[in-house]
Amino acid sequence: VLIFVLFTPVNSQTTDSTLVTAKDTAWKAGGSATLTFSQSAFSNWSAGGENAYALNGRFSGFLNYVFDKVNWENTLDIAYGFTNQKNTGFRKNDDLFDLTSKYGYQAGGNWYYSGMFNLMSQFSPGYDYGVEPKDTISDFLSPLNINLALGMDYKPNDNFSAFLSPANLKMVYVSDLMFSERFSIDEGKHVRVEIGFIARLKYQKEIVKNIDFITKLDVFYDYLQTKITLEDGSDRFRSPFVNWEVLINM
């Protein structure tokens, strides 16, 4: 016997036709929310399998101001989800808090002088299940990534934007000192400061009716720490920090 249940209510407001906007105002607001539940149960099932259930929720909202040469964008992304399998137990499979505010003043054409503020963290502890007992590798506000940047924003249309900043201040904060070493923070301190270059790309489009494609790519490179020392004593150039997200709403 195989039982599979999937429940996915979706309220998507990512296209122009669904913007929540007041009459005669430059403010526009909207967003999308999803909640998904699935369950699988197996009994005498020859193909094999494992009893499991999963619950995932996500909210993406925006509040934008566009008037004359001013373009101010504010976005909030929240996600959380977990699975529970018979042999592995309860484990989270999604956890995100991401708040961004970007203010731009048109410089000419599709270019804007811009400043950006970003907060990114998570809600609950994360674990490394590859060791026994499991090792706690993160927690609420551990880490908390804070970005303050000044640069230029390229916006050729409503679907695409590319923010480039050669002057980005990044702070990595941990609320619990037990995580300091894991995130390259000096022992006994809560904060590490980095100064570098950041590129933030975003593309969003309704590819066909009722199917929205959204992708975000962040790349950060630290000017202060360009090399890292390996266990054998040799040095190599430090890799950039990369965060890439792809969403499809149907």
Side-chain angles (χ1 to χ4, degrees):
V1 178
L2 167 65
I3 302 174
F4 179 80
V5 180
L6 176 64
F7 174 60
T8 312
V10 178
N11 177 22
S12 179
Q13 295 184 330
T14 56
T15 62
D16 290 342
S17 61
T18 55
L19 294 179
V20 181
T21 187
K23 187 177 181 180
D24 299 327
T25 180
W27 288 99
K28 294 181 180 180
S32 63
T34 63
L35 181 65
T36 303
F37 173 75
S38 63
Q39 181 176 9
S40 301
F42 303 88
S43 177
N44 258 349
W45 186 247
S46 60
E50 191 172 280
N51 296 342
Y53 64 85
L55 181 65
N56 285 79
R58 187 178 191 97
F59 170 78
S60 296
F62 67 86
L63 177 63
N64 298 338
Y65 178 88
V66 180
F67 182 75
D68 195 17
K69 293 187 176 183
V70 175
N71 192 311
W72 185 16
E73 300 178 357
N74 302 277
T75 61
L76 175 63
D77 293 311
I78 298 174
Y80 197 82
F82 65 87
T83 64
N84 193 333
Q85 296 184 336
K86 181 178 179 180
N87 292 329
T88 59
F90 176 92
R91 295 184 181 184
K92 69 175 181 179
N93 60 4
D94 200 4
D95 192 356
L96 174 68
F97 176 87
D98 190 342
L99 173 66
T100 300
S101 181
K102 184 173 63 175
Y103 183 90
Y105 187 86
Q106 191 173 22
N110 298 319
W111 288 94
Y112 291 79
Y113 303 113
S114 295
M116 183 190 72
F117 169 72
N118 173 250
L119 289 176
M120 185 167 63
S121 188
Q122 60 187 42
F123 292 102
S124 65
Y127 301 99
D128 178 6
Y129 294 98
V131 296
E132 186 63 38
K134 64 184 181 183
D135 183 22
T136 306
I137 58 176
S138 59
D139 205 341
F140 176 63
L141 299 183
S142 294
L144 168 65
N145 292 298
I146 306 171
N147 281 292
L148 297 170
L150 294 174
M152 299 292 292
D153 195 18
Y154 178 66
K155 293 177 61 68
N157 51 56
D158 292 337
N159 298 324
F160 176 79
S161 68
F163 175 74
L164 307 174
S165 171
N168 182 85
L169 174 65
K170 179 181 179 181
M171 291 174 284
V172 181
Y173 168 83
V174 293
S175 58
D176 192 328
L177 292 176
M178 67 176 286
F179 298 108
S180 297
E181 183 179 355
R182 178 175 294 276
F183 296 104
S184 302
I185 300 173
D186 293 338
E187 184 179 355
K189 294 185 177 181
H190 290 275
V191 180
R192 184 182 86 248
V193 176
E194 299 177 345
I195 298 175
F197 169 86
I198 191 170
R200 168 168 282 212
L201 310 180
K202 180 180 179 180
Y203 181 77
Q204 176 175 335
K205 186 175 178 61
E206 186 179 50
I207 50 180
V208 296
K209 187 176 181 179
N210 295 327
I211 300 181
D212 296 312
F213 174 81
I214 306 168
T215 183
K216 303 175 185 178
L217 174 65
D218 288 356
V219 180
F220 173 81
Y221 191 78
D222 185 12
Y223 296 145
L224 303 180
Q225 299 183 30
T226 59
K227 294 184 179 181
I228 61 173
T229 301
L230 304 179
E231 292 183 356
D232 60 5
S234 61
D235 292 335
R236 72 165 175 83
F237 283 104
R238 188 181 183 187
S239 301
F241 170 84
V242 177
N243 187 68
W244 186 21
E245 182 177 2
V246 178
L247 295 173
I248 297 177
N249 282 341
M250 295 188 292

